[in-house]
Amino acid sequence: MSAVLDHYGHAGHDDHAHDHPHGWRRWVFATNHKDIGTLYLLFSFTMLMIGGLLALFIRLELFQPGLQYFNPELFNQFTTMHGLIMVFGAIMPAFVGFANWMIPLQIGAADMAFARMNNFSFWLMIPAGLMLAGSFFMPGGAPAAGWTLYAPLTLQMGPSMDAGIFALHILGASSIMGSINIIVTILNMRAPGMTLMKMPLFAWTWLITAFLLIAVMPVLAGAITMTLTDRHFGTSFFNPAGGGDPVMYQHIFWFFGHPEVYIMILPAFGIVSAIIPAFSRKKLFGYTSMVYATASIAILSFIVWAHHMFTTGMPVTGQLFFMYATMLIAVPTGVKVFNWIATMWKGSMTFETPMLWAVGFLFVFTMGGFTGLILAMAPIDIQLQDSYYVVAHFHYVLVAGSLFSMFAGVYYWAPKWTGRMYNETRGKIHFWGSLIFFNITFFPMHFLGLAGMPRRYADYPMQFADFNSIASVGALGFGLMQVYFFVLVMLPMMMGKGEKAAQKPWEAAEGLEWEVPSPAPFHTFETPPKLDATATRVIG
C-alpha cells in the first residue's frame, strides 16, 4: 500500500480507500488517536449530561424547605452518584480525550505509543459508566455514602456499592493504561529537535498528570478493595466493631483524593497556557517557571491530604503541618496566575470565544483558590467543614477550573478537529450564559455555608430558603446552557455546517497542530517533521 506523503508527512490523496475501516468498525476497533480522542470526548459529554441531571434533581429538592419530591435516602444517592459520575465519568475522560487528540499533533508524533491499549482503555469506560449510572436500578438503589465513600456508611450499603467499587476499579485501570500511553508517547515519540523544554505546556501538564495518576489510582483501588473485603470477607479494616478504624479510610482516600484534585486541574492549566498567548499575541511569560510550578504543585499535592480531616481529632501538630503545607501550594499556583496575567499585559488582545473562556477560567478559578486558602486555616475549616461553603469552593475550582478550560479548549481546537468554524455569536452566548448562571448557582452557597447549612441534607430550616431557591434557578440555567452548546454550537460543526476552517484559524497560535490541514487528516506526521529552532513550526 503506497501513500504519497507531502513534506509534513501527511498522507496524500492517493491513499487507498481501505487504509482505515469505515462505519461502525472504524469506531469499535479504533486505534487512531484522533478517533479515540473523539470517543473519549463524546463519552465524557454524555456522562456530564447524566451527572448534570442528577445535580438538577438535587437542586429541585432544595428549591424550597421541606421534603418536596425525593426521600432523604434517594437524595443522598443523587449526591453520591453526581460526584462519582462527574469526577470519574466526565472530567477525567474529557482531559484524556484532549490528550489523545492533541499530544501526538503537538509533539509531531504519528500516533500514541500503544494504539491497541489506547482502544482498550477507552472501551473499559463503557461498562464502568453503565455500572455507575445503572446502580439506581439495583436492589436498594444506588450507593448513598457520598462520593468519598466513607466507612462505616459503605459497609452498610446494598449490592450497588459492590457495583460502584467494581466500576471504580475498571475506571482506574483505564486511567493507568491511558497514563502509561501518554508518558511513553511524550518521552519517546517527540519530533527530532523538540526537547522537553520546547514542548507545549499542555504536553508538559499531561506528562506530570500521568505520573500523578499512576501514583495515586492504586491507592484508591486499595481503599475500595479493603471496603469490599470488610463487606464480604470478614475483615475489619474500617469496622470499629472488629477493631478497625474508619478514620484510616479517610487517610487512605484523601492520599488519593488530593492529588486527584490536581489531576483534574493541571491539564486545564495546559489548555489555558496555549490559549492566552495566542489571543494576547505574545509569547507565554515565564515558560520555564510554569513547568517548575506545575511539577511543584504535583509534588506538594502528596503532602496536604489531611486538610480534609481537621475535624477528625487530629493532634494540633498535625493540623499545623497540613495547614502550612496547604498554604504553601498557593505559591506555585500564584506563579501560574501571575504568568498568565503578565502574558496578557500590554498584549494585543482580542476576545474570541476561546479567550473569553480562558479569562473566565482565570477569574473564577482564582476565586475558588482564595476560598481554598480560607479553608486551609484549621480553626476556620473546623467551623466550615462539611458546609455549603466547601461545596461552593470545590465547584468554583472544578466546574470553573476544569470545565471552563475544557470549553476553552473545544472552541480553540474544534476547528482543527472538524474542519469547520463554530458560530462566534452562539459561542459568546454560551460563555456569558454559563458564567452568569454558574455564579448565580454557586456564589450564594458561600453564604449558606457561613450561616451553617450542612451539605448532603435533603431538608433545611426556613432561614436558608432564599439563597437555595436562587441557586436552584441558576443550576437550571447553567444546565440549559450546556444543552444549547451541544445542539447549537457543536452539532453543526460535527455535521459539517458552518464556515470552513483555515489551516490556522487563530493568527498568533503557535504549535505543530496548526501545521496540518483542517480538519486534521486521519494520519499525520507519518515521517517525523523537521522543526525550526522554536520547535513550533515545520520547515522543509
Side-chain angles (χ1 to χ4, degrees):
M1 178 170 62
S2 68
V4 176
L5 299 182
D6 62 17
H7 61 275
Y8 298 136
H10 310 143
H13 295 297
D14 294 14
D15 263 351
H16 291 293
H18 56 263
D19 190 27
H20 58 83
H22 293 277
W24 62 270
R25 289 171 190 277
R26 171 180 174 179
W27 301 102
V28 172
F29 303 122
T31 50
N32 184 281
H33 71 98
K34 303 177 184 76
D35 285 352
I36 294 172
T38 303
L39 287 169
Y40 266 111
L41 289 167
L42 289 172
F43 172 82
S44 71
F45 191 80
T46 306
M47 295 303 271
L48 182 77
M49 291 292 103
I50 295 170
L53 193 63
L54 297 178
L56 288 179
F57 288 155
I58 294 166
R59 290 314 319 171
L60 181 66
E61 179 57 57
L62 294 175
F63 183 62
Q64 287 180 312
L67 290 176
Q68 311 286 329
Y69 303 99
F70 310 114
N71 64 41
E73 178 71 11
L74 183 57
F75 180 86
N76 281 341
Q77 292 175 26
F78 289 154
T79 55
T80 303
M81 298 312 294
H82 166 70
L84 288 173
I85 286 171
M86 286 302 203
V87 169
F88 296 103
I91 301 289
M92 291 170 68
F95 278 134
V96 179
F98 275 102
N100 264 293
W101 245 107
M102 299 316 303
I103 286 175
L105 286 179
Q106 290 190 332
I107 64 173
D111 207 308
M112 298 294 278
F114 306 118
R116 285 190 175 83
M117 186 167 87
N118 205 9
N119 174 287
F120 186 46
S121 65
F122 169 75
W123 284 110
L124 276 179
M125 306 202 75
I126 303 298
L130 288 172
M131 246 188 295
L132 274 181
S135 61
F136 283 101
F137 306 103
M138 294 182 183
W147 83 274
T148 48
L149 304 177
Y150 275 5
L153 279 173
T154 44
L155 309 182
Q156 301 157 9
M157 294 283 135
S160 63
M161 190 70 238
D162 304 320
I165 288 171
F166 190 34
L168 290 182
H169 271 302
I170 296 172
L171 290 168
S174 167
S175 291
I176 288 170
M177 285 194 285
S179 300
I180 291 168
N181 219 340
I182 286 165
I183 290 169
V184 175
T185 303
I186 291 174
L187 293 184
N188 291 341
M189 297 177 68
R190 299 189 310 282
M194 181 176 280
T195 61
L196 283 173
M197 292 310 279
K198 285 181 180 173
M199 282 198 314
L201 259 173
F202 181 66
W204 254 118
T205 53
W206 244 117
L207 179 64
I208 291 165
T209 302
F211 278 110
L212 273 182
L213 270 164
I214 288 172
V216 301
M217 287 315 284
V219 178
L220 175 68
I224 57 179
T225 304
M226 290 153 88
T227 302
L228 196 69
T229 60
D230 274 11
R231 284 169 56 81
H232 296 293
F233 301 106
T235 57
S236 291
F237 291 113
F238 311 129
N239 187 355
D245 184 1
V247 175
M248 180 172 77
Y249 175 86
Q250 295 192 28
H251 276 291
I252 301 168
F253 178 85
W254 286 116
F255 190 80
F256 149 80
H258 206 80
E260 166 68 14
V261 173
Y262 292 98
I263 286 164
M264 290 189 282
I265 202 67
L266 291 182
F269 292 166
I271 293 172
V272 170
S273 299
I275 292 170
I276 287 179
F279 294 95
S280 302
R281 289 160 183 79
K282 277 176 68 186
K283 288 271 187 206
L284 180 70
F285 181 87
Y287 172 92
T288 309
S289 64
M290 287 294 244
V291 172
Y292 286 121
T294 308
S296 307
I297 290 170
I299 293 161
L300 288 171
S301 74
F302 283 100
I303 61 163
V304 297
W305 78 89
H307 68 208
H308 298 268
M309 300 171 56
F310 285 145
T311 54
T312 54
M314 189 189 300
V316 173
T317 319
Q319 289 189 8
L320 284 170
F321 170 81
F322 285 106
M323 185 167 97
Y324 293 141
T326 306
M327 291 162 69
L328 188 62
I329 215 163
V331 176
T333 312
V335 167
K336 286 183 162 296
V337 173
F338 175 84
N339 284 3
W340 288 322
I341 293 170
T343 304
M344 293 189 278
W345 180 253
K346 293 193 174 176
S348 178
M349 291 170 68
T350 52
F351 291 96
E352 289 89 341
T353 308
M355 185 62 162
L356 283 177
W357 282 105
V359 174
F361 158 88
L362 203 54
F363 167 64
V364 198
F365 173 76
T366 305
M367 282 177 63
F370 278 126
T371 55
L373 269 178
I374 291 166
L375 290 169
M377 313 290 172
I380 301 177
D381 183 80
I382 287 165
Q383 301 297 316
L384 298 174
Q385 169 85 7
D386 268 339
S387 75
Y388 263 81
Y389 191 91
V390 177
V391 178
H393 155 67
F394 71 71
H395 280 88
Y396 263 79
V397 174
L398 277 184
V399 180
S402 301
L403 197 65
F404 278 27
S405 72
M406 282 182 210
F407 284 132
V410 167
Y411 282 104
Y412 184 59
W413 283 312
K416 183 58 61 186
W417 301 342
T418 63
R420 298 285 168 176
M421 292 302 291
Y422 60 88
N423 182 301
E424 190 70 52
T425 308
R426 289 177 186 174
K428 286 180 173 166
I429 290 170
H430 176 220
F431 168 73
W432 286 111
S434 296
L435 183 72
I436 291 164
F437 282 125
F438 170 80
N439 282 290
I440 290 172
T441 307
F442 293 106
F443 200 74
M445 293 185 190
H446 293 103
F447 302 119
L448 288 169
L450 290 166
M453 180 172 169
R455 64 177 175 172
R456 298 180 185 166
Y457 275 43
D459 193 8
Y460 53 86
M462 196 67 209
Q463 68 259 35
F464 300 139
D466 291 347
F467 278 148
N468 265 306
S469 55
I470 291 169
S472 292
V473 170
L476 178 62
F478 187 74
L480 290 174
M481 289 316 301
Q482 309 329 312
V483 176
Y484 172 91
F485 159 73
F486 187 73
V487 174
L488 289 175
V489 180
M490 281 314 294
L491 265 185
M493 294 175 78
M494 289 158 67
M495 292 162 68
K497 293 177 181 169
E499 184 189 332
K500 201 159 180 351
Q503 178 171 312
K504 190 173 174 183
W506 321 114
E507 56 180 286
E510 287 204 331
L512 296 188
E513 68 263 40
W514 308 112
E515 298 288 314
V516 303
S518 298
F522 192 75
H523 294 297
T524 43
F525 301 126
E526 292 187 356
T527 53
K530 293 191 177 119
L531 306 182
D532 66 0
T534 64
T536 59
R537 287 201 176 83
V538 176
I539 54 174

